[in-house]
Coordinates of all heavy atoms in Angstrom, one line a residue:
L64 N -187.7 -5.4 -131.0 CA -188.2 -4.1 -131.2 C -189.0 -3.6 -130.0 O -188.8 -2.4 -129.6 CB -189.1 -4.0 -132.4 CG -188.5 -4.2 -133.8 CD1 -189.5 -4.3 -134.9 CD2 -187.5 -3.1 -134.0
A65 N -189.8 -4.5 -129.4 CA -190.6 -4.0 -128.2 C -189.7 -3.7 -127.0 O -189.9 -2.8 -126.3 CB -191.6 -5.1 -127.8
L66 N -188.7 -4.6 -126.8 CA -187.7 -4.3 -125.7 C -187.0 -3.0 -125.9 O -186.7 -2.3 -125.0 CB -186.7 -5.4 -125.6 CG -187.2 -6.7 -125.0 CD1 -186.2 -7.8 -125.1 CD2 -187.6 -6.6 -123.6
N67 N -186.6 -2.6 -127.2 CA -186.0 -1.4 -127.5 C -186.8 -0.2 -127.1 O -186.3 0.9 -127.0 CB -185.5 -1.3 -128.9 CG -184.4 -2.3 -129.2 OD1 -183.7 -2.7 -128.3 ND2 -184.2 -2.6 -130.5
K68 N -188.1 -0.4 -127.0 CA -189.1 0.7 -126.7 C -189.5 0.6 -125.2 O -190.5 1.2 -124.8 CB -190.3 0.7 -127.6 CG -190.0 1.0 -129.0 CD -189.4 2.4 -129.2 CE -189.2 2.7 -130.7 NZ -188.6 4.0 -130.9
N69 N -188.7 -0.2 -124.4 CA -188.9 -0.3 -123.0 C -190.2 -1.0 -122.6 O -190.8 -0.8 -121.6 CB -188.8 1.0 -122.2 CG -187.4 1.6 -122.4 OD1 -186.4 0.9 -122.3 ND2 -187.3 2.9 -122.6
A70 N -190.7 -1.9 -123.5 CA -191.9 -2.7 -123.2 C -191.5 -3.9 -122.3 O -190.4 -4.4 -122.4 CB -192.5 -3.2 -124.5
T71 N -192.4 -4.3 -121.5 CA -192.2 -5.5 -120.8 C -192.7 -6.7 -121.7 O -193.8 -6.7 -122.1 CB -193.1 -5.5 -119.5 OG1 -192.7 -4.4 -118.7 CG2 -192.9 -6.8 -118.7
V72 N -191.8 -7.6 -122.0 CA -192.0 -8.7 -122.9 C -192.1 -10.0 -122.2 O -191.2 -10.3 -121.5 CB -190.9 -8.7 -124.0 CG1 -191.1 -9.8 -125.0 CG2 -190.9 -7.3 -124.8
T73 N -193.1 -10.8 -122.5 CA -193.2 -12.1 -122.0 C -193.2 -13.0 -123.3 O -194.0 -12.8 -124.2 CB -194.6 -12.3 -121.3 OG1 -194.6 -11.4 -120.2 CG2 -194.7 -13.8 -120.8
I74 N -192.3 -14.0 -123.3 CA -192.3 -14.9 -124.4 C -192.9 -16.2 -124.1 O -192.6 -16.8 -123.1 CB -190.8 -15.2 -124.9 CG1 -190.1 -13.9 -125.3 CG2 -190.7 -16.2 -126.0 CD1 -188.7 -14.0 -125.6
C75 N -193.9 -16.6 -124.9 CA -194.6 -17.9 -124.7 C -194.4 -18.7 -126.0 O -194.1 -18.2 -127.1 CB -196.1 -17.7 -124.5 SG -196.4 -16.7 -123.0
H76 N -194.8 -20.0 -126.0 CA -194.8 -20.8 -127.2 C -196.0 -21.7 -127.1 O -196.8 -21.7 -126.1 CB -193.5 -21.5 -127.4 CG -193.0 -22.4 -126.3 ND1 -193.6 -23.6 -126.0 CD2 -192.1 -22.2 -125.3 CE1 -193.0 -24.2 -124.9 NE2 -192.1 -23.3 -124.5
S77 N -196.1 -22.6 -128.1 CA -197.3 -23.4 -128.2 C -197.5 -24.4 -127.0 O -198.6 -24.8 -126.7 CB -197.3 -24.2 -129.5 OG -196.2 -25.1 -129.5
K78 N -196.4 -24.7 -126.3 CA -196.5 -25.6 -125.2 C -196.4 -24.9 -123.8 O -196.3 -25.5 -122.8 CB -195.4 -26.6 -125.3 CG -195.6 -27.5 -126.5 CD -194.6 -28.7 -126.5 CE -194.8 -29.6 -127.6 NZ -195.5 -29.3 -128.8
T79 N -196.5 -23.6 -123.8 CA -196.6 -22.8 -122.5 C -197.7 -23.2 -121.7 O -198.9 -23.3 -122.2 CB -196.6 -21.3 -122.8 OG1 -195.4 -20.9 -123.5 CG2 -196.7 -20.5 -121.5
K80 N -197.5 -23.6 -120.5 CA -198.6 -24.0 -119.5 C -199.4 -22.7 -119.3 O -198.8 -21.6 -119.1 CB -198.0 -24.6 -118.2 CG -197.3 -25.9 -118.5 CD -196.8 -26.5 -117.2 CE -196.2 -27.8 -117.4 NZ -195.6 -28.4 -116.2
N81 N -200.7 -22.9 -119.2 CA -201.6 -21.8 -118.9 C -201.4 -20.6 -119.9 O -201.4 -19.5 -119.6 CB -201.4 -21.3 -117.5 CG -201.7 -22.4 -116.5 OD1 -202.6 -23.1 -116.6 ND2 -200.8 -22.4 -115.5
L82 N -201.3 -21.0 -121.2 CA -201.1 -19.9 -122.2 C -202.2 -18.9 -122.2 O -202.0 -17.7 -122.3 CB -201.0 -20.6 -123.6 CG -200.8 -19.6 -124.8 CD1 -199.5 -18.8 -124.6 CD2 -200.8 -20.4 -126.1
Q83 N -203.5 -19.4 -122.1 CA -204.6 -18.4 -122.1 C -204.5 -17.4 -121.0 O -204.8 -16.2 -121.1 CB -206.0 -19.1 -122.1 CG -206.3 -19.7 -123.4 CD -205.6 -21.0 -123.8 OE1 -204.9 -21.6 -122.9 NE2 -205.6 -21.4 -125.0
Q84 N -204.0 -17.9 -119.8 CA -203.9 -17.0 -118.7 C -202.8 -16.0 -118.9 O -202.9 -14.8 -118.6 CB -203.5 -17.9 -117.4 CG -203.4 -17.1 -116.2 CD -203.1 -17.9 -114.9 OE1 -203.2 -19.2 -115.0 NE2 -202.7 -17.3 -113.8
E85 N -201.7 -16.4 -119.5 CA -200.6 -15.5 -119.9 C -201.1 -14.4 -120.9 O -200.7 -13.3 -120.8 CB -199.4 -16.3 -120.5 CG -198.7 -17.2 -119.6 CD -197.8 -16.4 -118.6 OE1 -197.5 -15.2 -118.8 OE2 -197.4 -17.0 -117.6
L86 N -201.9 -14.9 -121.8 CA -202.4 -13.9 -122.9 C -203.3 -12.9 -122.3 O -203.3 -11.7 -122.8 CB -203.1 -14.7 -124.0 CG -202.3 -15.6 -124.8 CD1 -203.2 -16.5 -125.7 CD2 -201.3 -14.8 -125.7
Q87 N -204.0 -13.2 -121.2 CA -205.0 -12.3 -120.6 C -204.3 -11.0 -120.1 O -205.0 -10.0 -119.9 CB -205.8 -13.0 -119.6 CG -206.7 -14.0 -120.1 CD -207.6 -13.5 -121.3 OE1 -208.3 -12.5 -121.2 NE2 -207.6 -14.3 -122.4
N88 N -203.0 -11.1 -119.8 CA -202.3 -9.9 -119.3 C -201.7 -9.0 -120.4 O -201.1 -8.0 -120.1 CB -201.2 -10.4 -118.3 CG -201.7 -11.1 -117.1 OD1 -202.7 -10.7 -116.6 ND2 -201.1 -12.2 -116.7
A89 N -201.9 -9.4 -121.6 CA -201.2 -8.7 -122.7 C -202.0 -7.6 -123.3 O -203.2 -7.7 -123.5 CB -200.8 -9.7 -123.8
D90 N -201.3 -6.5 -123.7 CA -201.9 -5.4 -124.4 C -201.7 -5.6 -125.9 O -202.5 -5.3 -126.7 CB -201.3 -4.1 -124.0 CG -201.6 -3.8 -122.5 OD1 -202.8 -4.0 -122.1 OD2 -200.7 -3.3 -121.8
I91 N -200.5 -6.2 -126.2 CA -200.1 -6.4 -127.6 C -199.6 -7.9 -127.7 O -198.8 -8.3 -126.9 CB -199.0 -5.5 -128.1 CG1 -199.4 -4.0 -128.0 CG2 -198.5 -5.9 -129.5 CD1 -198.3 -3.1 -128.2
I92 N -200.2 -8.6 -128.6 CA -199.8 -10.0 -128.8 C -199.2 -10.2 -130.2 O -199.9 -9.9 -131.2 CB -201.0 -11.0 -128.6 CG1 -201.5 -10.8 -127.2 CG2 -200.6 -12.4 -128.9 CD1 -202.8 -11.5 -126.9
I93 N -198.0 -10.6 -130.3 CA -197.3 -10.9 -131.6 C -197.3 -12.4 -131.7 O -196.7 -13.1 -130.9 CB -195.9 -10.3 -131.7 CG1 -196.0 -8.8 -131.4 CG2 -195.3 -10.6 -133.0 CD1 -194.6 -8.1 -131.2
V94 N -198.0 -12.9 -132.7 CA -198.1 -14.4 -132.9 C -197.3 -14.9 -134.1 O -197.5 -14.4 -135.2 CB -199.6 -14.8 -133.1 CG1 -199.8 -16.3 -133.1 CG2 -200.5 -14.1 -132.0
A95 N -196.4 -15.8 -133.8 CA -195.5 -16.4 -134.8 C -195.3 -17.9 -134.4 O -194.2 -18.3 -134.2 CB -194.3 -15.6 -135.0
V96 N -196.3 -18.6 -134.2 CA -196.2 -20.0 -133.7 C -196.1 -21.0 -134.8 O -195.7 -22.1 -134.6 CB -197.4 -20.3 -132.8 CG1 -198.7 -20.5 -133.5 CG2 -197.1 -21.5 -131.9
G97 N -196.5 -20.7 -136.0 CA -196.4 -21.6 -137.1 C -197.5 -22.7 -137.2 O -197.3 -23.7 -137.8
R98 N -198.6 -22.3 -136.7 CA -199.8 -23.2 -136.7 C -201.0 -22.5 -137.2 O -201.4 -21.5 -136.5 CB -200.1 -23.9 -135.4 CG -199.0 -24.8 -134.9 CD -199.4 -25.5 -133.6 NE -198.4 -26.3 -133.1 CZ -198.4 -27.0 -132.0 NH1 -199.5 -26.8 -131.2 NH2 -197.4 -27.7 -131.5
P99 N -201.7 -22.9 -138.3 CA -202.8 -22.1 -138.7 C -203.9 -22.0 -137.7 O -204.3 -23.0 -137.1 CB -203.3 -22.9 -140.0 CG -202.4 -24.1 -140.1 CD -201.4 -24.1 -139.0
K100 N -204.4 -20.8 -137.5 CA -205.6 -20.5 -136.6 C -205.3 -21.1 -135.2 O -206.3 -21.5 -134.6 CB -206.9 -21.1 -137.3 CG -207.1 -20.5 -138.6 CD -208.4 -21.0 -139.2 CE -208.7 -20.4 -140.5 NZ -210.0 -20.8 -141.1
F101 N -204.1 -21.0 -134.8 CA -203.8 -21.5 -133.4 C -204.5 -20.8 -132.3 O -205.0 -21.4 -131.4 CB -202.3 -21.4 -133.2 CG -201.8 -21.9 -131.9 CD1 -201.7 -23.3 -131.6 CD2 -201.4 -21.0 -130.9 CE1 -201.3 -23.7 -130.3 CE2 -201.0 -21.4 -129.7 CZ -200.9 -22.8 -129.4
L102 N -204.6 -19.5 -132.4 CA -205.3 -18.7 -131.4 C -206.7 -18.3 -131.9 O -206.8 -17.9 -133.0 CB -204.5 -17.4 -131.0 CG -203.2 -17.6 -130.3 CD1 -202.6 -16.3 -130.0 CD2 -203.5 -18.4 -129.0
Q103 N -207.6 -18.5 -131.0 CA -209.0 -18.1 -131.3 C -209.4 -16.9 -130.6 O -208.7 -16.5 -129.6 CB -209.9 -19.3 -130.9 CG -209.6 -20.6 -131.5 CD -209.9 -20.6 -133.0 OE1 -211.0 -20.3 -133.4 NE2 -208.9 -21.1 -133.8
G104 N -210.5 -16.3 -130.9 CA -210.9 -15.1 -130.2 C -211.1 -15.3 -128.7 O -210.8 -14.4 -127.9
K105 N -211.6 -16.5 -128.3 CA -211.8 -16.7 -126.9 C -210.5 -16.8 -126.1 O -210.5 -16.6 -124.9 CB -212.5 -18.1 -126.7 CG -211.7 -19.3 -127.2 CD -212.5 -20.6 -127.0 CE -211.8 -21.8 -127.6 NZ -210.4 -22.0 -127.2
D106 N -209.3 -16.9 -126.8 CA -208.0 -17.0 -126.2 C -207.5 -15.6 -125.9 O -206.5 -15.4 -125.1 CB -207.0 -17.7 -127.0 CG -207.4 -19.1 -127.3 OD1 -208.0 -19.8 -126.5 OD2 -207.2 -19.6 -128.5
L107 N -208.0 -14.5 -126.5 CA -207.5 -13.2 -126.5 C -208.2 -12.3 -125.6 O -209.4 -12.3 -125.4 CB -207.5 -12.6 -127.9 CG -206.8 -13.5 -129.0 CD1 -207.2 -13.0 -130.4 CD2 -205.3 -13.5 -128.8
P108 N -207.4 -11.4 -124.9 CA -208.1 -10.4 -124.0 C -208.8 -9.3 -124.8 O -208.3 -8.9 -125.9 CB -206.9 -9.8 -123.2 CG -205.7 -10.0 -124.0 CD -206.0 -11.3 -124.8
A109 N -210.0 -8.9 -124.4 CA -210.7 -7.9 -125.0 C -209.9 -6.6 -125.2 O -209.2 -6.2 -124.2 CB -212.0 -7.6 -124.3
G110 N -210.0 -6.0 -126.4 CA -209.3 -4.8 -126.6 C -207.8 -4.8 -126.9 O -207.2 -3.8 -127.1
C111 N -207.2 -6.0 -126.9 CA -205.8 -6.0 -127.2 C -205.5 -5.8 -128.7 O -206.4 -5.8 -129.5 CB -205.2 -7.4 -126.8 SG -205.6 -8.8 -127.8
T112 N -204.2 -5.6 -129.0 CA -203.8 -5.5 -130.4 C -203.1 -6.8 -130.8 O -202.2 -7.3 -130.0 CB -202.8 -4.3 -130.6 OG1 -203.6 -3.1 -130.3 CG2 -202.3 -4.2 -132.0
V113 N -203.4 -7.4 -131.9 CA -202.7 -8.6 -132.4 C -202.0 -8.4 -133.7 O -202.5 -7.8 -134.6 CB -203.8 -9.7 -132.6 CG1 -203.2 -11.0 -133.1 CG2 -204.5 -10.0 -131.3
I114 N -200.7 -8.8 -133.7 CA -199.9 -8.8 -134.9 C -199.6 -10.2 -135.2 O -198.9 -11.0 -134.5 CB -198.6 -8.0 -134.6 CG1 -198.8 -6.6 -134.2 CG2 -197.7 -8.1 -135.9 CD1 -197.6 -5.9 -133.6
D115 N -200.3 -10.7 -136.3 CA -200.2 -12.0 -136.8 C -199.1 -12.2 -137.8 O -199.2 -11.7 -138.9 CB -201.6 -12.5 -137.4 CG -201.7 -14.0 -137.6 OD1 -200.6 -14.7 -137.6 OD2 -202.8 -14.5 -137.8
V116 N -198.0 -12.9 -137.5 CA -196.9 -13.0 -138.4 C -197.0 -14.3 -139.2 O -196.4 -14.4 -140.3 CB -195.6 -13.0 -137.5 CG1 -194.3 -13.2 -138.4 CG2 -195.5 -11.7 -136.7
G117 N -197.8 -15.2 -138.8 CA -197.9 -16.5 -139.5 C -198.7 -16.4 -140.8 O -199.5 -15.5 -141.0
I118 N -198.3 -17.2 -141.8 CA -199.1 -17.3 -143.0 C -199.1 -18.8 -143.5 O -198.0 -19.4 -143.5 CB -198.5 -16.4 -144.1 CG1 -199.4 -16.3 -145.3 CG2 -197.1 -16.7 -144.5 CD1 -199.2 -15.2 -146.2
H119 N -200.2 -19.3 -143.8 CA -200.4 -20.7 -144.2 C -201.4 -20.8 -145.3 O -202.4 -20.0 -145.4 CB -201.0 -21.5 -143.0 CG -200.3 -21.2 -141.7 ND1 -199.1 -21.9 -141.4 CD2 -200.5 -20.4 -140.7 CE1 -198.7 -21.5 -140.2 NE2 -199.5 -20.5 -139.8
R120 N -201.2 -21.7 -146.2 CA -202.1 -22.0 -147.3 C -203.1 -23.1 -146.8 O -202.6 -24.2 -146.5 CB -201.4 -22.4 -148.6 CG -202.4 -22.5 -149.7 CD -201.8 -22.4 -151.1 NE -200.9 -21.3 -151.3 CZ -201.3 -20.1 -151.7 NH1 -202.6 -19.8 -151.8 NH2 -200.5 -19.1 -151.9
Q121 N -204.4 -22.9 -146.8 CA -205.3 -23.9 -146.4 C -205.6 -24.8 -147.6 O -205.2 -24.6 -148.7 CB -206.6 -23.2 -146.0 CG -206.4 -22.2 -144.8 CD -207.7 -21.5 -144.4 OE1 -208.4 -22.0 -143.6 NE2 -207.9 -20.4 -145.1
D122 N -206.3 -25.9 -147.3 CA -206.7 -26.9 -148.3 C -207.4 -26.3 -149.5 O -207.3 -26.7 -150.6 CB -207.5 -28.1 -147.7 CG -206.6 -28.9 -146.8 OD1 -205.4 -28.9 -146.9 OD2 -207.2 -29.6 -145.9
D123 N -208.2 -25.2 -149.2 CA -209.0 -24.6 -150.3 C -208.2 -23.6 -151.0 O -208.7 -22.9 -151.9 CB -210.3 -24.0 -149.7 CG -210.0 -22.9 -148.7 OD1 -208.8 -22.5 -148.5 OD2 -211.0 -22.4 -148.1
G124 N -206.9 -23.4 -150.7 CA -206.0 -22.5 -151.4 C -206.0 -21.1 -150.8 O -205.1 -20.3 -151.2
K125 N -206.9 -20.8 -149.9 CA -206.9 -19.5 -149.2 C -205.8 -19.4 -148.2 O -205.4 -20.4 -147.6 CB -208.2 -19.2 -148.6 CG -209.4 -19.1 -149.6 CD -210.6 -18.8 -148.9 CE -211.8 -18.6 -149.9 NZ -213.1 -18.4 -149.2
L126 N -205.3 -18.2 -147.9 CA -204.3 -18.0 -146.9 C -204.9 -17.6 -145.6 O -206.0 -17.0 -145.5 CB -203.3 -16.8 -147.4 CG -202.5 -17.1 -148.6 CD1 -201.8 -15.9 -149.0 CD2 -201.6 -18.3 -148.4
C127 N -204.3 -18.0 -144.5 CA -204.7 -17.7 -143.2 C -203.5 -17.5 -142.3 O -202.3 -17.9 -142.7 CB -205.6 -18.7 -142.6 SG -204.8 -20.3 -142.1
G128 N -203.7 -16.9 -141.1 CA -202.6 -16.7 -140.2 C -202.6 -17.7 -139.0 O -203.3 -18.7 -139.0
D129 N -201.8 -17.4 -138.0 CA -201.7 -18.1 -136.8 C -202.9 -17.8 -135.9 O -203.2 -18.5 -134.9 CB -200.5 -17.9 -136.0 CG -199.2 -18.5 -136.7 OD1 -199.4 -19.3 -137.7 OD2 -198.1 -18.1 -136.3
V130 N -203.7 -16.8 -136.2 CA -204.8 -16.4 -135.4 C -206.1 -16.6 -136.3 O -206.1 -16.2 -137.5 CB -204.7 -14.9 -135.0 CG1 -205.9 -14.5 -134.2 CG2 -203.5 -14.7 -134.2
D131 N -207.1 -17.1 -135.7 CA -208.4 -17.2 -136.5 C -209.0 -15.8 -136.5 O -209.6 -15.3 -135.6 CB -209.3 -18.2 -135.7 CG -210.7 -18.3 -136.4 OD1 -210.7 -18.6 -137.6 OD2 -211.7 -18.1 -135.8
F132 N -208.8 -15.2 -137.7 CA -209.2 -13.8 -137.9 C -210.7 -13.5 -137.6 O -211.0 -12.6 -136.8 CB -208.9 -13.3 -139.3 CG -208.9 -11.8 -139.5 CD1 -207.8 -11.0 -139.3 CD2 -210.1 -11.2 -139.8 CE1 -207.9 -9.6 -139.5 CE2 -210.2 -9.8 -140.0 CZ -209.1 -9.1 -139.8
P133 N -211.6 -14.3 -138.1 CA -213.1 -14.0 -137.9 C -213.4 -13.9 -136.4 O -214.2 -13.1 -135.9 CB -213.8 -15.1 -138.6 CG -212.9 -15.5 -139.7 CD -211.5 -15.4 -139.1
S134 N -212.9 -14.9 -135.6 CA -213.3 -14.9 -134.2 C -212.5 -13.9 -133.4 O -213.0 -13.3 -132.4 CB -213.1 -16.3 -133.6 OG -211.7 -16.6 -133.5
A135 N -211.3 -13.6 -133.8 CA -210.4 -12.6 -133.1 C -210.9 -11.2 -133.3 O -210.9 -10.4 -132.3 CB -209.0 -12.7 -133.5
E136 N -211.3 -10.8 -134.5 CA -211.7 -9.4 -134.8 C -212.9 -9.0 -134.0 O -213.2 -7.8 -133.8 CB -211.9 -9.2 -136.3 CG -213.2 -9.8 -136.9 CD -213.3 -9.4 -138.3 OE1 -212.8 -8.4 -138.8 OE2 -214.0 -10.2 -139.0
K137 N -213.7 -10.0 -133.5 CA -214.9 -9.6 -132.6 C -214.4 -9.2 -131.2 O -215.2 -8.6 -130.5 CB -215.8 -10.8 -132.5 CG -216.4 -11.2 -133.9 CD -217.2 -12.5 -133.7 CE -217.7 -12.9 -135.1 NZ -218.3 -14.2 -135.1
V138 N -213.2 -9.5 -130.8 CA -212.7 -9.3 -129.5 C -211.7 -8.3 -129.3 O -211.7 -7.5 -128.4 CB -212.1 -10.7 -128.9 CG1 -211.6 -10.5 -127.5 CG2 -213.2 -11.8 -129.0
V139 N -210.8 -8.2 -130.3 CA -209.6 -7.3 -130.2 C -209.9 -5.9 -130.8 O -210.9 -5.7 -131.5 CB -208.4 -7.9 -130.9 CG1 -208.1 -9.3 -130.4 CG2 -208.6 -8.0 -132.4
S140 N -209.1 -5.0 -130.4 CA -209.3 -3.6 -131.0 C -208.6 -3.5 -132.4 O -209.1 -2.7 -133.2 CB -208.7 -2.5 -130.0 OG -207.3 -2.7 -129.9
R141 N -207.5 -4.2 -132.5 CA -206.8 -4.1 -133.8 C -206.2 -5.5 -134.1 O -205.7 -6.1 -133.1 CB -205.7 -3.1 -133.8 CG -206.1 -1.7 -133.7 CD -204.9 -0.7 -133.6 NE -205.3 0.6 -133.2 CZ -205.5 1.0 -131.9 NH1 -205.3 0.2 -130.9 NH2 -205.9 2.2 -131.6
I142 N -206.1 -5.9 -135.4 CA -205.5 -7.1 -135.8 C -204.9 -7.0 -137.2 O -205.6 -6.4 -138.0 CB -206.4 -8.4 -135.7 CG1 -205.7 -9.6 -136.0 CG2 -207.7 -8.2 -136.5 CD1 -206.5 -10.9 -135.7
S143 N -203.7 -7.4 -137.4 CA -203.1 -7.3 -138.7 C -203.7 -8.4 -139.6 O -203.9 -9.6 -139.1 CB -201.6 -7.5 -138.6 OG -201.2 -8.8 -138.1
P144 N -204.0 -8.1 -140.8 CA -204.6 -9.1 -141.7 C -203.6 -10.0 -142.3 O -202.4 -9.7 -142.3 CB -205.2 -8.2 -142.9 CG -204.3 -7.0 -142.9 CD -203.9 -6.8 -141.5
V145 N -204.0 -11.2 -142.7 CA -203.2 -12.2 -143.4 C -204.0 -12.6 -144.6 O -205.1 -13.1 -144.5 CB -202.8 -13.4 -142.5 CG1 -202.1 -14.4 -143.3 CG2 -202.1 -13.0 -141.3
P146 N -203.5 -12.4 -145.8 CA -202.2 -11.7 -146.2 C -202.4 -10.2 -146.1 O -203.5 -9.7 -145.9 CB -202.0 -12.2 -147.6 CG -203.3 -12.4 -148.2 CD -204.2 -12.9 -147.0
G147 N -201.3 -9.5 -146.3 CA -201.3 -8.0 -146.3 C -200.9 -7.3 -145.1 O -201.0 -6.1 -145.0
G148 N -200.6 -8.0 -144.0 CA -200.2 -7.4 -142.8 C -198.7 -7.1 -142.7 O -198.2 -6.2 -143.2
V149 N -198.0 -8.0 -142.0 CA -196.6 -7.8 -141.8 C -195.7 -8.3 -143.0 O -194.5 -8.0 -143.1 CB -196.1 -8.5 -140.5 CG1 -196.8 -8.0 -139.3 CG2 -196.2 -10.0 -140.6
G150 N -196.3 -9.0 -144.0 CA -195.6 -9.5 -145.1 C -194.7 -8.4 -145.8 O -193.5 -8.6 -146.1
P151 N -195.3 -7.2 -146.2 CA -194.5 -6.2 -146.8 C -193.3 -5.7 -146.0 O -192.3 -5.5 -146.5 CB -195.5 -5.1 -147.1 CG -196.8 -5.8 -147.1 CD -196.7 -6.9 -146.2
M152 N -193.5 -5.7 -144.7 CA -192.3 -5.3 -143.8 C -191.3 -6.4 -143.8 O -190.1 -6.1 -143.7 CB -192.8 -5.0 -142.4 CG -193.8 -3.9 -142.3 SD -193.2 -2.4 -143.1 CE -191.7 -2.1 -142.2
T153 N -191.7 -7.6 -143.9 CA -190.7 -8.7 -144.0 C -189.9 -8.6 -145.3 O -188.6 -8.7 -145.3 CB -191.4 -10.1 -144.0 OG1 -192.2 -10.2 -142.8 CG2 -190.4 -11.2 -144.0
V154 N -190.5 -8.3 -146.4 CA -189.8 -8.1 -147.7 C -188.8 -6.9 -147.6 O -187.7 -7.1 -148.0 CB -190.8 -7.9 -148.8 CG1 -190.1 -7.5 -150.1 CG2 -191.7 -9.1 -149.0
V155 N -189.2 -5.8 -147.0 CA -188.4 -4.7 -146.8 C -187.1 -5.1 -146.0 O -186.0 -4.7 -146.3 CB -189.1 -3.5 -146.2 CG1 -188.1 -2.4 -145.8 CG2 -190.1 -2.9 -147.2
S156 N -187.4 -5.8 -144.9 CA -186.3 -6.2 -144.0 C -185.3 -7.1 -144.8 O -184.1 -7.0 -144.6 CB -186.8 -6.9 -142.8 OG -187.5 -6.0 -142.0
L157 N -185.8 -8.0 -145.6 CA -185.0 -8.9 -146.3 C -184.1 -8.1 -147.3 O -182.9 -8.4 -147.5 CB -185.8 -10.0 -147.1 CG -186.4 -11.1 -146.2 CD1 -187.4 -11.9 -147.0 CD2 -185.4 -11.9 -145.6
I158 N -184.7 -7.2 -148.0 CA -184.0 -6.3 -149.0 C -182.9 -5.6 -148.3 O -181.8 -5.5 -148.8 CB -185.0 -5.4 -149.8 CG1 -185.9 -6.2 -150.7 CG2 -184.2 -4.4 -150.6 CD1 -187.0 -5.5 -151.3
E159 N -183.2 -5.0 -147.1 CA -182.2 -4.3 -146.4 C -181.0 -5.2 -146.0 O -179.9 -4.8 -146.1 CB -182.8 -3.7 -145.1 CG -183.7 -2.5 -145.3 CD -184.3 -1.9 -144.0 OE1 -184.4 -2.7 -143.0 OE2 -184.7 -0.8 -144.0
N160 N -181.3 -6.4 -145.6 CA -180.3 -7.3 -145.2 C -179.4 -7.7 -146.4 O -178.2 -7.9 -146.3 CB -180.9 -8.6 -144.6 CG -181.4 -8.3 -143.2 OD1 -181.1 -7.3 -142.5 ND2 -182.3 -9.2 -142.7
V161 N -180.0 -7.9 -147.6 CA -179.3 -8.2 -148.8 C -178.3 -7.1 -149.1 O -177.2 -7.3 -149.5 CB -180.2 -8.6 -149.9 CG1 -179.4 -8.6 -151.3 CG2 -180.9 -9.9 -149.7
I162 N -178.8 -5.8 -149.1 CA -178.0 -4.7 -149.3 C -176.9 -4.6 -148.4 O -175.7 -4.3 -148.8 CB -178.9 -3.4 -149.3 CG1 -179.8 -3.4 -150.5 CG2 -178.0 -2.1 -149.4 CD1 -180.9 -2.3 -150.5
Q163 N -177.1 -4.8 -147.1 CA -176.1 -4.7 -146.1 C -175.1 -5.8 -146.3 O -173.8 -5.5 -146.2 CB -176.7 -4.8 -144.7 CG -175.7 -4.7 -143.6 CD -176.3 -4.7 -142.2 OE1 -177.4 -4.9 -142.0 NE2 -175.4 -4.5 -141.2
A164 N -175.5 -7.0 -146.6 CA -174.5 -8.1 -146.9 C -173.7 -7.8 -148.1 O -172.5 -8.0 -148.1 CB -175.3 -9.4 -147.1
A165 N -174.3 -7.2 -149.1 CA -173.5 -6.8 -150.3 C -172.5 -5.7 -150.0 O -171.3 -5.8 -150.4 CB -174.4 -6.3 -151.4
E166 N -172.9 -4.7 -149.2 CA -172.0 -3.7 -148.8 C -170.8 -4.2 -147.9 O -169.7 -3.8 -148.1 CB -172.7 -2.6 -148.0 CG -173.6 -1.7 -148.9 CD -174.5 -0.8 -148.1 OE1 -174.7 -0.9 -146.9 OE2 -175.1 0.2 -148.8
N167 N -171.1 -5.1 -147.1 CA -170.1 -5.7 -146.2 C -169.1 -6.5 -147.0 O -167.9 -6.6 -146.7 CB -170.8 -6.6 -145.1 CG -171.5 -5.8 -144.1 OD1 -171.3 -4.6 -144.0 ND2 -172.4 -6.5 -143.4
R168 N -169.6 -7.1 -148.1 CA -168.7 -7.9 -148.9 C -167.7 -7.1 -149.7 O -166.6 -7.5 -150.1 CB -169.5 -8.8 -149.9 CG -168.8 -9.8 -150.6 CD -169.6 -10.8 -151.2 NE -168.7 -11.8 -151.8 CZ -169.1 -12.7 -152.7 NH1 -170.3 -12.7 -153.1 NH2 -168.3 -13.6 -153.1
I169 N -168.2 -5.8 -150.1 CA -167.3 -4.9 -150.9 C -166.2 -4.4 -150.0 O -165.5 -4.2 -149.5 CB -168.1 -3.8 -151.5 CG1 -169.1 -4.3 -152.4 CG2 -167.2 -2.8 -152.1 CD1 -170.1 -3.3 -153.0

């Protein structure tokens, strides 16, 4: 989606060397690493926007994302909550795909 809007996109993963340095150049960070609270506020550039796609159930039963929300919200300008952030959009996309698959089958 970002590329379709002519954004410059850098793809990193959990083993990217100098990940914190790469993050410091970002205006928008989309996190989908699959590790609870992987990124902390200290890892993020001040004023950036964070879209947290991850969702994990902690030992206490509460849900969290790939970003440590309490530390991140002190640094960033915007951050999607977990739960309640991108989840509803994921459901909509899944429904659209099921409808398209059904139409293609007919």
Side-chain angles (χ1 to χ4, degrees):
L64 291 174
L66 286 173
N67 289 341
K68 296 295 182 182
N69 298 318
T71 300
V72 176
T73 301
I74 298 174
C75 299
H76 57 78
S77 62
K78 294 187 178 18
T79 296
K80 292 181 182 180
N81 302 317
L82 179 60
Q83 284 76 14
Q84 183 178 348
E85 292 287 342
L86 292 171
Q87 293 307 309
N88 296 321
D90 296 317
I91 301 170
I92 299 173
I93 303 170
V94 187
V96 73
R98 294 188 185 174
K100 301 182 181 182
F101 178 74
L102 290 181
Q103 304 290 311
K105 64 180 175 53
D106 301 321
L107 304 167
C111 75
T112 297
V113 176
I114 302 170
D115 191 345
V116 180
I118 188 162
H119 312 276
R120 186 162 307 278
Q121 301 176 93
D122 292 337
D123 62 5
K125 293 182 181 178
L126 296 175
C127 72
D129 289 349
V130 178
D131 180 56
F132 192 92
S134 67
E136 73 176 338
K137 296 174 184 171
V138 177
V139 303
S140 63
R141 294 175 193 87
I142 183 170
S143 63
V145 175
V149 299
M152 296 309 301
T153 302
V154 172
V155 168
S156 295
L157 288 170
I158 292 169
E159 285 179 340
N160 289 340
V161 168
I162 291 169
Q163 183 178 3
E166 288 173 344
N167 290 344
R168 190 164 185 199
I169 295 175

